[in-house]
PDB file of all heavy atoms in Angstrom:
ATOM      1  N   ALA I 500     -46.413   9.585  33.935  1.00 38.00           N
ATOM      2  CA  ALA I 500     -47.303  10.598  33.797  1.00 38.00           C
ATOM      3  C   ALA I 500     -48.373  10.664  34.795  1.00 38.00           C
ATOM      4  O   ALA I 500     -48.885  11.750  35.098  1.00 38.00           O
ATOM      5  CB  ALA I 500     -47.865  10.535  32.301  1.00 38.00           C
ATOM      6  N   ALA I 501     -48.833   9.607  35.331  1.00 35.00           N
ATOM      7  CA  ALA I 501     -49.814   9.576  36.321  1.00 35.00           C
ATOM      8  C   ALA I 501     -49.383   9.697  37.652  1.00 35.00           C
ATOM      9  O   ALA I 501     -50.143   9.881  38.667  1.00 35.00           O
ATOM     10  CB  ALA I 501     -50.637   8.188  36.318  1.00 35.00           C
ATOM     11  N   ARG I 502     -47.979   9.617  37.905  1.00 33.00           N
ATOM     12  CA  ARG I 502     -47.408   9.805  39.269  1.00 33.00           C
ATOM     13  C   ARG I 502     -47.874   8.813  40.217  1.00 33.00           C
ATOM     14  O   ARG I 502     -48.315   9.155  41.396  1.00 33.00           O
ATOM     15  CB  ARG I 502     -47.531  11.178  39.756  1.00 33.00           C
ATOM     16  CG  ARG I 502     -46.681  12.269  38.976  1.00 33.00           C
ATOM     17  CD  ARG I 502     -45.207  12.051  39.219  1.00 33.00           C
ATOM     18  NE  ARG I 502     -44.801  12.489  40.524  1.00 33.00           N
ATOM     19  CZ  ARG I 502     -43.523  12.060  40.833  1.00 33.00           C
ATOM     20  NH1 ARG I 502     -42.657  11.453  40.166  1.00 33.00           N
ATOM     21  NH2 ARG I 502     -43.086  12.491  42.076  1.00 33.00           N
ATOM     22  N   PHE I 503     -48.002   7.578  39.922  1.00 30.00           N
ATOM     23  CA  PHE I 503     -48.273   6.577  40.925  1.00 30.00           C
ATOM     24  C   PHE I 503     -47.276   5.535  40.985  1.00 30.00           C
ATOM     25  O   PHE I 503     -46.441   5.354  40.071  1.00 30.00           O
ATOM     26  CB  PHE I 503     -49.678   5.942  40.642  1.00 30.00           C
ATOM     27  CG  PHE I 503     -49.828   5.169  39.361  1.00 30.00           C
ATOM     28  CD1 PHE I 503     -49.383   3.889  39.340  1.00 30.00           C
ATOM     29  CD2 PHE I 503     -50.314   5.696  38.233  1.00 30.00           C
ATOM     30  CE1 PHE I 503     -49.399   3.204  38.168  1.00 30.00           C
ATOM     31  CE2 PHE I 503     -50.331   4.999  37.114  1.00 30.00           C
ATOM     32  CZ  PHE I 503     -49.978   3.691  36.997  1.00 30.00           C
ATOM     33  N   ASP I 504     -47.081   4.926  42.071  1.00 33.00           N
ATOM     34  CA  ASP I 504     -46.121   3.861  42.236  1.00 33.00           C
ATOM     35  C   ASP I 504     -46.674   2.486  41.998  1.00 33.00           C
ATOM     36  O   ASP I 504     -47.565   2.096  42.691  1.00 33.00           O
ATOM     37  CB  ASP I 504     -45.454   3.929  43.709  1.00 33.00           C
ATOM     38  CG  ASP I 504     -44.805   5.282  43.923  1.00 33.00           C
ATOM     39  OD1 ASP I 504     -44.207   5.810  42.947  1.00 33.00           O
ATOM     40  OD2 ASP I 504     -44.783   5.766  45.106  1.00 33.00           O
ATOM     41  N   ARG I 505     -46.061   1.834  41.087  1.00 34.00           N
ATOM     42  CA  ARG I 505     -46.572   0.541  40.711  1.00 34.00           C
ATOM     43  C   ARG I 505     -45.818  -0.560  41.352  1.00 34.00           C
ATOM     44  O   ARG I 505     -44.655  -0.469  41.411  1.00 34.00           O
ATOM     45  CB  ARG I 505     -46.468   0.343  39.132  1.00 34.00           C
ATOM     46  CG  ARG I 505     -46.934  -0.993  38.626  1.00 34.00           C
ATOM     47  CD  ARG I 505     -47.051  -0.785  37.164  1.00 34.00           C
ATOM     48  NE  ARG I 505     -45.877  -0.448  36.515  1.00 34.00           N
ATOM     49  CZ  ARG I 505     -45.161  -1.142  35.804  1.00 34.00           C
ATOM     50  NH1 ARG I 505     -45.574  -2.291  35.496  1.00 34.00           N
ATOM     51  NH2 ARG I 505     -44.027  -0.689  35.215  1.00 34.00           N
ATOM     52  N   PRO I 506     -46.350  -1.568  41.957  1.00 34.00           N
ATOM     53  CA  PRO I 506     -45.625  -2.581  42.657  1.00 34.00           C
ATOM     54  C   PRO I 506     -44.729  -3.313  41.688  1.00 34.00           C
ATOM     55  O   PRO I 506     -45.112  -3.775  40.596  1.00 34.00           O
ATOM     56  CB  PRO I 506     -46.606  -3.515  43.137  1.00 34.00           C
ATOM     57  CG  PRO I 506     -48.015  -2.901  42.875  1.00 34.00           C
ATOM     58  CD  PRO I 506     -47.784  -1.694  42.001  1.00 34.00           C
ATOM     59  N   GLU I 507     -43.255  -3.369  41.881  1.00 37.00           N
ATOM     60  CA  GLU I 507     -42.295  -3.864  40.897  1.00 37.00           C
ATOM     61  C   GLU I 507     -42.144  -5.360  40.951  1.00 37.00           C
ATOM     62  O   GLU I 507     -41.969  -5.979  40.138  1.00 37.00           O
ATOM     63  CB  GLU I 507     -41.059  -3.203  41.240  1.00 37.00           C
ATOM     64  CG  GLU I 507     -40.624  -2.182  40.259  1.00 37.00           C
ATOM     65  CD  GLU I 507     -40.982  -2.250  38.931  1.00 37.00           C
ATOM     66  OE1 GLU I 507     -40.559  -3.002  38.340  1.00 37.00           O
ATOM     67  OE2 GLU I 507     -41.658  -1.438  38.565  1.00 37.00           O
ATOM     68  N   PRO I 508     -41.816  -5.817  41.919  1.00 33.00           N
ATOM     69  CA  PRO I 508     -41.527  -7.223  42.239  1.00 33.00           C
ATOM     70  C   PRO I 508     -42.518  -8.273  41.762  1.00 33.00           C
ATOM     71  O   PRO I 508     -43.502  -7.946  41.405  1.00 33.00           O
ATOM     72  CB  PRO I 508     -41.883  -7.195  43.599  1.00 33.00           C
ATOM     73  CG  PRO I 508     -43.261  -6.422  43.361  1.00 33.00           C
ATOM     74  CD  PRO I 508     -43.026  -5.382  42.534  1.00 33.00           C
ATOM     75  N   ALA I 509     -42.245  -9.399  42.057  1.00 31.00           N
ATOM     76  CA  ALA I 509     -43.138 -10.620  42.023  1.00 31.00           C
ATOM     77  C   ALA I 509     -44.491 -10.189  41.460  1.00 31.00           C
ATOM     78  O   ALA I 509     -45.303  -9.917  42.275  1.00 31.00           O
ATOM     79  CB  ALA I 509     -43.241 -11.173  43.300  1.00 31.00           C
ATOM     80  N   ARG I 510     -44.624 -10.075  40.130  1.00 34.00           N
ATOM     81  CA  ARG I 510     -45.864  -9.578  39.632  1.00 34.00           C
ATOM     82  C   ARG I 510     -46.930 -10.678  39.732  1.00 34.00           C
ATOM     83  O   ARG I 510     -46.757 -11.849  39.543  1.00 34.00           O
ATOM     84  CB  ARG I 510     -45.531  -9.280  38.245  1.00 34.00           C
ATOM     85  CG  ARG I 510     -44.682  -8.197  37.872  1.00 34.00           C
ATOM     86  CD  ARG I 510     -44.572  -7.918  36.488  1.00 34.00           C
ATOM     87  NE  ARG I 510     -43.672  -6.885  36.115  1.00 34.00           N
ATOM     88  CZ  ARG I 510     -43.419  -6.478  34.891  1.00 34.00           C
ATOM     89  NH1 ARG I 510     -43.845  -7.001  33.904  1.00 34.00           N
ATOM     90  NH2 ARG I 510     -42.553  -5.469  34.737  1.00 34.00           N
ATOM     91  N   GLU I 511     -48.153 -10.032  40.088  1.00 37.00           N
ATOM     92  CA  GLU I 511     -49.351 -10.947  40.115  1.00 37.00           C
ATOM     93  C   GLU I 511     -49.806 -11.084  38.708  1.00 37.00           C
ATOM     94  O   GLU I 511     -49.396 -10.358  37.824  1.00 37.00           O
ATOM     95  CB  GLU I 511     -50.488 -10.286  40.911  1.00 37.00           C
ATOM     96  CG  GLU I 511     -50.051  -9.853  42.377  1.00 37.00           C
ATOM     97  CD  GLU I 511     -51.137  -9.195  43.072  1.00 37.00           C
ATOM     98  OE1 GLU I 511     -51.275  -7.989  42.746  1.00 37.00           O
ATOM     99  OE2 GLU I 511     -51.855  -9.883  43.845  1.00 37.00           O
TER     100      GLU I 511
END
Side-chain angles (χ1 to χ4, degrees):
R502 287 298 285 173
F503 63 84
D504 296 326
R505 178 164 58 113
E507 253 330 294
R510 296 182 178 177
E511 302 176 284

